[in-house]
């Protein structure tokens, strides 16, 4: 399997599994990854995903330069739509970055909501060194997430930054020792799962949709999501649990 999907306690762990090639994304990896993200989106038992890479060296070194890039000029070569666009995944996604995240690998990280990195992680968009630009969102997401000059540094220099620098500029949430990476990601996922899952999805959807709206329209959107949440069983459970001084038991209803 080029992409492994495992689940436990409402959390799916999705592993890019081609360690001998730094988890580079061949057309087959891309297809399996897209299918796996749809499986995660549509699996009612799963509330949060953690994406990581197999091995100690790389999250992913990006698109496969030997198997995928030479085919890009061929107009009949089409990849399926993926996580970068159009899947509408409102469940939270955590990136557990276990090494290099380059090119398309970094673009997967940018499509994740929470990003936890091992100390040996590095982040970059080397596409310009190949005479290309990022094609899965890098030129659009980085300047929306970082100060302009830091996005420009990454995109125009094509030179990776290390995990501490990525943390310092706000590209990632936390840096941990490699041995603590997965347990930290699992702790964050478990913490998210303690909250009402419908509320979590509404919060993410409101954040994403609101990014492309005026503040006024965004506030209206928030109002309509808020009103919808007040009719859920989860909301009733949340306020009852508070009054009864116990932990809420959310069902996602
Ligand atoms: N593709 C294919 N194989 C790769 C690879 C990659 N991106 N990265 C590493 N490998 C393979 C190497 O070829 C080598 O395989 P063997 O020779 O052993 O068979 C093995 O992994 C180990 O690599 P190295 O021997 O080079 O190991 P080092 O430790 O010396 O260096 C490295 C590791 C990751 C720094 C280096 O391999 C490297 O610079 N790799 C290239 C990284 C890169 O340029 N990534 C960006 C790719 S461009 C699209 C949208 C987006 C994209 C494509 C299409 N569409 C809209 C259609 C995305 C483009 C990109 O991501």
């Amino acid at each position: 399997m080029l992409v492994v999907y495992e689940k436990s306690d409402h959390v799916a762990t999705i592993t890019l599994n081609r360690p001998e090639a730094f988890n580079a994304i061949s057309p087959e990896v891309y297809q399996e990854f897209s299918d796996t993200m749809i499986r995660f989106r549509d699996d009612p038992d799963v509330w949060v995903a953690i994406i990581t890479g197999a091995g100690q060296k790389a999250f992913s070194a990006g698109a496969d330069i030997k198997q995928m890039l030479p085919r890009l000029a061929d107009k009949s070569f089409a990849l399926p739509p993926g996580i970068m666009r159009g899947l509408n995944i409102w469940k939270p996604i955590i990136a557990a970055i276990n090494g290099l995240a380059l090119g398309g690998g970094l673009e997967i990280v940018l499509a994740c909501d929470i990003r936890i990195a091992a100390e040996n992680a590095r982040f970059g968009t080397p596409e310009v060194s190949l005479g290309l630009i990022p094609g899965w969102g890098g030129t659009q997401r980085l300047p929306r997430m970082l100060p302009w000059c830091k996005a420009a540094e990454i995109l125009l220099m094509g030179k990776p930054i290390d995990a501490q620098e990525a943390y310092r500029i706000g590209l990632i949430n936390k840096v941990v020792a490699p041995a603590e990476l997965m347990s930290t990601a699992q702790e964050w996922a478990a913490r998210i799962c303690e909250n009402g899952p419908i509320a979590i999805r509404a919060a993410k959807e409101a954040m994403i949709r609101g990014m492309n709206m005026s503040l006024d329209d965004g506030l209206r959107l928030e109002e309509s999501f808020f009103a919808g949440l007040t009719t859920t069983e989860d909301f009733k459970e949340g306020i009852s649990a508070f009054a009864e001084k116990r932990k809420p038991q959310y069902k996602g209803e």
Side-chain angles (χ1 to χ4, degrees):
M1 295 250 270
L2 294 167
V3 178
V4 179
Y5 184 82
E6 296 160 297
K7 57 181 189 174
S8 152
D9 299 329
H10 298 305
V11 178
T13 302
I14 295 168
T15 308
L16 297 164
N17 187 30
R18 222 185 139 212
E20 70 287 358
F22 280 65
N23 300 316
I25 305 162
S26 61
E28 295 73 24
V29 171
Y30 191 85
Q31 177 71 57
E32 266 193 45
F33 183 65
S34 297
D35 293 347
T36 305
M37 293 315 295
I38 290 168
R39 181 174 171 192
F40 159 61
R41 182 193 67 188
D42 297 342
D43 186 338
D45 278 351
V46 172
W47 297 356
V48 176
I50 299 170
I51 302 179
T52 192
Q56 313 296 316
K57 292 184 175 167
F59 177 82
S60 169
D64 191 304
I65 299 175
K66 294 176 272 188
Q67 294 183 33
M68 189 190 293
L69 296 195
R71 299 170 67 183
L72 293 182
D74 174 358
K75 296 287 171 249
S76 63
F77 176 65
L79 290 166
I83 182 182
M84 318 313 153
R85 193 149 59 99
L87 290 189
N88 290 349
I89 300 178
W90 309 127
K91 296 175 184 177
I93 308 174
I94 298 174
I97 307 134
N98 54 306
L100 288 172
L102 300 178
L106 175 57
E107 289 170 303
I108 293 175
V109 169
L110 298 180
C112 295
D113 306 297
I114 304 276
R115 304 162 198 157
I116 300 168
E119 285 154 351
N120 60 316
R122 284 191 287 144
F123 304 81
T125 54
E127 285 89 339
V128 286
S129 72
L130 298 166
L132 265 184
I133 60 168
W136 289 324
T139 62
Q140 300 308 300
R141 287 196 167 112
L142 277 170
R144 283 168 168 80
M145 290 172 180
L146 297 179
W148 180 268
C149 62
K150 298 312 288 186
E153 178 181 330
I154 294 171
L155 287 163
L156 306 184
M157 310 273 280
K159 193 172 144 286
I161 60 169
D162 66 21
Q164 284 305 341
E165 174 70 351
Y167 176 71
R168 197 183 66 75
I169 64 178
L171 186 61
I172 58 177
N173 296 79
K174 196 174 169 72
V175 183
V176 295
E180 288 167 20
L181 180 65
M182 287 313 291
S183 58
T184 307
Q186 282 152 3
E187 275 164 30
W188 282 54
R191 180 68 191 85
I192 293 172
C193 287
E194 287 175 18
N195 301 314
I198 307 179
I200 291 291
R201 283 168 221 164
K204 176 170 171 179
E205 187 174 352
M207 284 169 72
I208 290 179
R209 292 198 189 281
M211 290 280 282
N212 295 323
M213 291 179 177
S214 67
L215 180 60
D216 221 32
D217 289 346
L219 291 172
R220 234 182 278 267
L221 175 78
E222 184 184 76
E223 226 171 72
S224 72
F225 279 7
F226 188 97
L229 288 165
T230 59
T231 65
T232 63
E233 288 301 313
D234 280 356
F235 173 57
K236 278 191 211 151
E237 169 63 9
I239 48 181
S240 304
F242 178 82
E244 292 160 20
K245 299 189 186 301
R246 60 174 174 81
K247 269 195 154 186
Q249 298 294 321
Y250 291 117
K251 297 195 177 119
E253 291 168 0

